[in-house]
Amino acid sequence: MAPKPGPARLAFVFGKESRILQPVSPVLVAFSAILLTTVVLLAVDSFLDAKALAFIYLLPVTVMAMHYGSTVGVLTSFGSALAAAYFCFPPKFSFFISDPLNVAELGFFLLLAVIASKTVAVLTKDERVTRRPKWPLIGWWRRRRKSA
């Protein structure tokens, strides 16, 4: 008879301590947010023009940058730009964009999304930014003087 998995074993597989899902979970959450935004835009598309609402994709970019940092925010920016190109701009359900004005709009959207994700990550004190010392040599010099 096989032993039943205890709470520690289940926490390893499914919980926050999971070493398997920990590096992948921000990416999964980011693509889930893009998918949710896409579903909402496709539902609203019958009432309004979805091309004009493509900037709604900035919302998941901002949320992901606030919670997971600028790297996931930039990744979400590129995923959102691909989703906007595929679902919002004519011809729909194709990555080919027929109008050069729409190509420029998508380029500006991507630029704005990357800038927004970097800015939001810095404003919410991204861990990688705050962990790095401002003047690393001064800290090294002070530690050296204290030990001597």
Side-chain angles (χ1 to χ4, degrees):
M1 183 169 182
K4 291 177 74 175
R9 178 92 173 136
L10 290 176
F12 172 74
V13 177
F14 297 109
K16 290 186 177 184
E17 294 86 18
S18 174
R19 288 179 271 169
I20 298 169
L21 294 177
Q22 190 174 12
V24 182
S25 64
V27 175
L28 292 176
V29 171
F31 285 122
S32 299
I34 293 170
L35 180 68
L36 179 68
T37 306
T38 301
V39 168
V40 169
L41 281 179
L42 288 177
V44 173
D45 186 35
S46 60
F47 304 113
L48 301 169
D49 182 24
K51 187 180 98 175
L53 296 176
F55 281 91
I56 297 291
Y57 280 110
L58 285 176
L59 185 64
V61 170
T62 306
V63 171
M64 293 302 114
M66 282 188 331
H67 287 288
Y68 295 112
S70 61
T71 304
V72 176
V74 169
L75 181 68
T76 309
S77 300
F78 283 107
S80 295
L82 286 174
Y86 192 78
F87 292 108
C88 294
F89 294 111
K92 288 189 179 184
F93 307 111
S94 172
F95 286 111
F96 177 75
I97 301 175
S98 58
D99 189 11
L101 185 62
N102 289 340
V103 173
E105 184 178 344
L106 186 64
F108 284 125
F109 166 78
L110 183 60
L111 181 68
L112 180 66
V114 168
I115 291 172
S117 69
K118 288 291 199 178
T119 304
V120 165
V122 168
L123 289 177
T124 56
K125 303 217 187 225
D126 189 3
E127 294 172 6
R128 289 173 298 280
V129 174
T130 56
R131 197 178 336 145
R132 190 177 323 135
K134 191 171 184 179
W135 301 100
L137 291 178
I138 291 175
W140 171 80
W141 180 256
R142 287 182 184 156
R143 285 191 306 271
R144 185 170 178 246
R145 288 182 59 198
K146 284 182 182 178
S147 66

